[in-house]
Amino acid sequence: MTAPSSSKPALRIRKAAVLGAGVMGAQIAAHLTNANVETVLFDLPAKEGPKSGIALKAIENLRKLSPAPLADSTRAAAIIPANYDDDLEHLKDVDLVIEAIAERMDWKLDLYKKIAPYVSKTAVLASNTSGLSINNLAEALPEEMRHRFTGVHFFNPPRYMHLVELIPTKLTNRDVLEGLEAFLTTTVGKGVVYAKDTPNFIGNRIGVFSMLATMYHTEQFKLGFDTVDALTGPAVGRPKSATYRTADVVGLDTMAHVIKTMADTLANDPWHEYFKAPAWLSGLIEQGALGQKTGAGFYRKAGKDIVVLDVAKRDYRPSEQKASDEVSAILAIKDPAEKFGKLRASSDPQAQFLWATFRDLFHYTAYHLADIADTARDVDFAIRWGYGWKLGPFETWQAAGWQQVAGWIAEDIAAGKAMSKAPLPAWVTDGRTGVHSKEGSWSAASSAYKPRSKHPVYQRQLFPDPILGEKFDQGTTVWENDGVRLWTLGDDGVGIISFKTKMNTVNDQVLDGVQHAIGVAEEKLKAVVIWQTGEPFSAGADLKGALGLLQAGKIDDFAKMVANFQRTSMRVKHSLVPVVSAVRGLALGGGCEFQMHSARTVAALESYIGLVEAGVGLLPAGGGLHELAIRAAQANPADPFEALKKVFETVAMAKVSASALEAKQLGLLRDSDVVVFNAYELLYIAKQVALSLAESGYRPPLYDRNIPVAGDVGTATFKASLANLQAGYFASEHDVAIATRIADTLCGGQIERGSLVDEEWLLDLERKHFVELAQTEKTQARIAHTMTTGKPLRN
């Protein structure tokens, strides 16, 4: 497999500046810092204290926000605080400037005039405006800077939302855009969608309209806010926060501001009369109930309960959040065409509400496609990546039967039931089956289907996010059993091992399969990547099977299963071809242990890695503790205990990293492991790493027979700290028993400090403690409780 190449040099960004240390600006700075881009965060000079106090406070606040903008909290110290009075000289060596101040055209234009003399002649300048005209903003810049200016709109929170809208001006240089697209995609890990310079661009234009239509129909069908949230969340493939919880999180004042922007800037929109805040939204804002940030909005907490606003009573009541039985049954139907047909035909107000909101969303999106986006794909990706929907509006419509739904919309427009009398565009009813086909996605402006971008950066995405109906090469199977598939993609000699189990858990078929697949790879291939076709990487061991053996009293079979787990990890570690683990999402327990024994791990930034066995009353026994003991000995042969302190706490407390960067801090990833920001590039990069190891004459590590251990003194030191935890009621007796066995394994057992042991000694110790713990009543209760409830039991 050859690396994608481009005739044009990449846009090299060593240093960036973010102008504006508000919520978005500070979090954009945080995410650039996550990606190892040196970043200066500017704001106004403070009236008291340090001159850059506003930026300093914003940086400090990043550590407290949830979800965390920083993938590793220590990186806050790398962000450089600055102010516009003293620090504009910084801009002279900056390659990218992102302006993220308040949505006031006059303020932005003043700032551009102020910074223009300091920005270097090659720097790219971008505005993170969510809706102001990019062409109008460009006019404030000196002419020589205009070809390097563009809109670059991140969605909140910037670390987690995949979408970035790129909005060129009439003058933006194509090379600048392509360079920025590659940087945003690979370095920052985003999904880039090009938007036209129209108010609110694509994501917010369609997303906010969808919320406005939902609010309008909430009133029309007299439904409670909690009922609407029950109908417009996961039940229709959208986030749990649905409509009104989302508004509370965004802030009702922000919501009202976005609605006003639409009203002010879209005077000719046929739906203009609906671009106003409902009376109850304005009422909440007047009372200072702005949502989550003020503790009350559509919802508020009353003790441990969540209560919801009842408009009729002008007071809060307990939240019921439930769909009617009829609508629940309709939403459970798998076939989208049947589901939409039944929603439209039902007399249940909830069903009528859902049909009405989808109808008006489809109508609005089709009507405006030509104005706001190049293709229907851009609209669907903008809504999926920016709002977290499983399918975009066009995909939903096409899945439900394009012409059937189009006919129903036209009937409702004619009958005066739709929000607007605007006709559907002619292309909608020209006999097509949808807007996504093998030729690409429909461009209403060009009256043609357009394929995906040919930008070289997308050659790195071997399995990109598919649009409805898209299929990608599934590779060639080399060998498979019921647990795993070994396959190849292309002719580069790299095998891919993928699990077939639910949540990619590890059972006997997976263990035997991995061992056999590595044997096949040693005969036929150059290298192997363990990569799953979807998240998670692996949720760990199959607890159901393990508990079954224990409850049946088959202790010997249970012990053999554990030994087979260890054998698999060692087969991964000592394979004659390099085994690279490509991790994204959860890598827990046995999943974490497999990647620890790989020659290298390539982990997506959003990887949540942990040895979590202590939570179910066990300890890691797939070689995880043995590997940590070896790493500690390698880090400090004279005193392995120093290196064990951090990892003992990680394992005993069943800590899971909040990112791949944090996994390095916790000792679960090595410094040499690679962190990838775009999960769609993970397989490509893992294959490159595996090939480079193979081409450099890879040999597995030698079996280690001389591992210095911390011994009984180390275990005793850990036990003393555990006694303090128990005395303070921070740990139960069983917690202490588990942690003591973890300590004993990490420290090499009850032998003298500094003794030398081999790998088999550590594996035997790990297995012995695991099997003994598994036979205790309290551990079996923990396993059963976790399987039943999905939550840990403290006993």
Side-chain angles (χ1 to χ4, degrees):
M1 183 174 61
T2 54
S5 61
S6 171
S7 55
K8 299 177 188 118
L11 184 66
R12 301 289 183 198
I13 293 175
R14 185 184 301 279
K15 189 173 180 180
V18 177
L19 312 179
V23 174
M24 282 301 283
Q27 292 197 57
I28 292 168
H31 194 57
L32 290 171
T33 306
N34 288 336
N36 281 359
V37 177
E38 186 180 9
T39 305
V40 188
L41 181 60
F42 279 88
D43 211 298
L44 297 165
K47 293 187 171 69
E48 295 170 10
K51 204 84 176 280
S52 297
I54 295 173
L56 275 164
K57 191 176 176 187
I59 293 165
E60 188 51 43
N61 195 45
L62 289 171
R63 299 174 191 267
K64 301 170 195 164
L65 290 177
S66 178
L70 292 159
D72 162 12
S73 61
T74 63
R75 293 193 173 216
I79 303 172
I80 303 162
N83 69 82
Y84 302 125
D85 278 6
D86 300 344
D87 302 313
L88 290 177
E89 291 287 332
H90 269 300
L91 295 175
K92 291 185 174 172
D93 62 347
V94 155
D95 308 301
L96 172 65
V97 181
I98 298 177
E99 170 270 306
I101 68 167
E103 292 288 87
R104 283 271 303 266
M105 181 72 80
D106 52 341
W107 291 359
K108 289 179 190 284
L109 300 182
D110 284 348
L111 182 59
Y112 293 179
K113 284 171 187 155
K114 189 169 192 171
I115 63 164
Y118 297 90
V119 177
S120 88
K121 288 187 166 40
T122 54
V124 173
L125 180 60
S127 174
N128 182 60
T129 178
S130 58
L132 296 177
S133 167
I134 301 298
N135 281 291
N136 289 355
L137 288 170
E139 287 170 13
L141 293 169
E143 205 156 319
E144 68 274 11
M145 286 176 72
R146 291 180 192 175
H147 70 284
R148 291 180 279 121
F149 176 71
T150 183
V152 54
H153 180 219
F154 286 80
F155 272 60
N156 192 17
R159 171 183 158 188
Y160 301 94
M161 298 312 289
H162 191 57
L163 177 65
V164 169
E165 291 175 317
L166 206 50
I167 312 101
T169 70
K170 287 174 275 197
L171 301 173
T172 313
N173 185 300
R174 192 73 219 167
D175 288 353
V176 167
L177 290 168
E178 288 184 4
L180 196 53
E181 185 174 4
F183 169 76
L184 289 166
T185 302
T186 292
T187 306
V188 192
K190 296 300 166 195
V192 173
V193 164
Y194 279 84
K196 296 185 180 181
D197 187 15
T198 54
N200 288 8
F201 312 128
I202 302 173
N204 283 339
R205 180 76 176 268
I206 302 302
V208 174
F209 174 80
S210 176
M211 290 183 83
L212 281 169
T214 303
M215 288 177 174
Y216 170 73
H217 290 302
T218 300
E219 284 188 310
Q220 295 299 107
F221 292 99
K222 299 179 171 55
L223 300 179
F225 301 129
D226 50 344
T227 302
V228 170
D229 278 355
L231 296 170
T232 58
V236 291
R238 298 181 193 171
K240 277 194 288 195
S241 55
T243 302
Y244 292 103
R245 279 183 198 278
T246 297
D248 273 354
V249 171
V250 169
L252 305 192
D253 51 343
T254 306
M255 185 79 200
H257 174 76
V258 173
I259 295 168
K260 187 175 184 308
T261 301
M262 287 180 80
D264 292 348
T265 55
L266 295 166
N268 297 322
D269 191 303
W271 283 261
H272 185 267
E273 65 182 285
Y274 302 102
F275 299 164
K276 58 178 186 287
W280 28 263
L281 178 59
S282 304
L284 284 167
I285 293 168
E286 280 167 25
Q287 291 165 28
L290 306 180
Q292 197 168 277
K293 59 189 169 190
T294 59
F298 292 110
Y299 296 90
R300 68 175 169 81
K301 255 190 160 179
K304 288 187 177 176
D305 299 323
I306 301 286
V307 291
V308 64
L309 181 67
D310 187 316
V311 174
K313 293 178 182 171
R314 299 193 175 190
D315 200 2
Y316 289 85
R317 59 165 171 78
S319 174
E320 289 153 9
Q321 194 129 11
K322 196 170 165 290
S324 71
D325 292 344
E326 182 183 336
V327 169
S328 295
I330 294 173
L331 292 176
I333 295 168
K334 290 268 190 325
D335 175 27
E338 185 187 348
K339 185 187 303 186
F340 271 86
K342 290 206 165 156
L343 282 176
R344 186 166 189 262
S346 170
S347 57
D348 185 311
Q350 293 184 14
Q352 292 177 343
F353 160 83
L354 276 173
W355 161 249
T357 55
F358 274 110
R359 173 200 64 215
D360 291 321
L361 170 65
F362 296 159
H363 184 189
Y364 189 83
T365 309
Y367 185 88
H368 286 297
L369 174 59
D371 316 330
I372 65 172
D374 189 33
T375 70
R377 180 176 47 244
D378 296 327
V379 173
D380 281 340
F381 278 153
I383 293 298
R384 273 167 46 176
W385 296 343
Y387 281 76
W389 295 13
K390 280 190 179 163
L391 291 176
F394 285 126
E395 289 176 297
T396 308
W397 181 351
Q398 184 166 327
W402 185 270
Q403 287 303 333
Q404 172 178 269
V405 172
W408 290 339
I409 296 169
E411 280 175 29
D412 281 9
I413 294 169
K417 290 180 181 176
M419 287 169 74
S420 169
K421 291 177 182 167
L424 282 169
W427 60 263
V428 171
T429 51
D430 63 3
R432 68 181 55 244
T433 55
V435 288
H436 303 300
S437 71
K438 285 178 183 170
E439 291 80 52
S441 292
W442 181 251
S443 170
S446 308
S447 293
Y449 284 93
K450 291 194 175 181
R452 279 179 177 262
S453 166
K454 294 284 190 284
H455 192 305
V457 76
Y458 299 115
Q459 291 172 36
R460 300 164 61 88
Q461 298 185 14
L462 304 180
F463 290 89
D465 196 359
I467 206 80
L468 186 76
E470 262 187 321
K471 296 276 188 289
F472 304 110
D473 182 1
Q474 298 303 301
T476 306
T477 301
V478 178
W479 177 86
E480 66 184 320
N481 70 352
D482 288 341
V484 307
R485 175 186 181 226
L486 172 67
W487 53 291
T488 54
L489 189 66
D491 56 1
D492 55 12
V494 179
I496 301 162
I497 295 176
S498 300
F499 299 176
K500 295 179 174 183
T501 48
K502 189 178 179 184
M503 295 285 285
N504 299 320
T505 52
V506 181
N507 58 17
D508 286 333
Q509 286 87 357
V510 170
L511 295 171
D512 295 343
V514 169
Q515 292 176 54
H516 187 83
I518 288 172
V520 173
E522 287 174 335
E523 288 176 30
K524 299 182 176 179
L525 299 165
K526 293 181 184 176
V528 167
V529 170
I530 302 176
W531 179 80
Q532 314 299 6
T533 54
E535 291 186 17
F537 177 72
S538 174
D542 172 19
L543 286 177
K544 189 178 178 184
L547 187 62
L549 290 174
L550 290 170
Q551 289 174 335
K554 297 180 178 177
I555 304 305
D556 286 350
D557 288 348
F558 181 77
K560 282 177 190 168
M561 187 189 80
V562 181
N564 198 26
F565 219 123
Q566 293 182 329
R567 204 158 40 247
T568 309
S569 289
M570 296 304 280
R571 190 76 182 87
V572 169
K573 182 174 182 176
H574 295 289
S575 163
L576 289 170
V577 294
V579 179
V580 171
S581 285
V583 174
R584 57 182 166 170
L586 295 172
L588 304 178
C592 176
E593 288 171 302
F594 283 164
Q595 67 81 22
M596 287 173 74
H597 287 86
S598 304
R600 195 80 84 249
T601 295
V602 178
L605 178 70
E606 300 309 332
S607 294
Y608 311 112
I609 302 171
L611 294 169
V612 295
E613 287 83 353
V616 290
L618 293 166
L619 50 71
L625 295 181
H626 131 281
E627 185 64 21
L628 289 172
I630 292 171
R631 290 183 189 179
Q634 289 169 343
N636 192 344
D639 186 12
F641 184 77
E642 276 308 303
L644 287 175
K645 282 183 196 169
K646 179 171 67 179
V647 292
F648 170 70
E649 186 181 311
T650 297
V651 180
M653 294 180 70
K655 284 186 179 176
V656 177
S657 74
S659 71
L661 294 178
E662 191 179 75
K664 289 193 175 192
Q665 298 284 333
L666 294 175
L668 299 169
L669 287 180
R670 297 156 290 201
D671 286 342
S672 58
D673 290 331
V674 179
V675 177
V676 172
F677 273 62
N678 195 319
Y680 295 109
E681 296 185 352
L682 183 67
L683 180 58
Y684 169 82
I685 294 168
K687 289 182 89 180
Q688 294 291 329
V689 169
L691 272 176
S692 102
L693 287 169
E695 297 296 339
S696 59
Y698 176 80
R699 292 292 302 172
L702 290 168
Y703 180 84
D704 202 336
R705 291 178 172 81
N706 295 293
I707 305 159
V709 294
D712 50 8
V713 175
T715 304
T717 310
F718 282 134
K719 278 180 80 172
S721 64
L722 290 170
N724 291 336
L725 282 175
Q726 193 176 357
Y729 300 104
F730 294 111
S732 71
E733 189 180 330
H734 196 51
D735 290 334
V736 171
I738 299 159
T740 301
R741 288 176 185 268
I742 291 168
D744 188 65
T745 310
L746 287 171
C747 295
Q750 294 306 298
I751 54 176
E752 199 173 315
R753 180 181 181 175
S755 298
L756 298 177
V757 301
D758 62 12
E759 292 194 48
E760 199 56 53
W761 172 276
L762 291 169
L763 290 168
D764 287 347
L765 197 57
E766 186 181 87
R767 195 166 61 250
K768 167 184 162 292
H769 282 310
F770 186 89
V771 173
E772 287 175 4
L773 264 178
Q775 293 176 73
T776 65
E777 194 180 317
K778 286 190 173 178
T779 284
Q780 290 189 24
R782 284 191 180 195
I783 295 172
H785 186 269
T786 301
M787 281 173 53
T788 310
T789 67
K791 292 174 182 168
L793 171 70
R794 291 295 302 279
N795 59 358

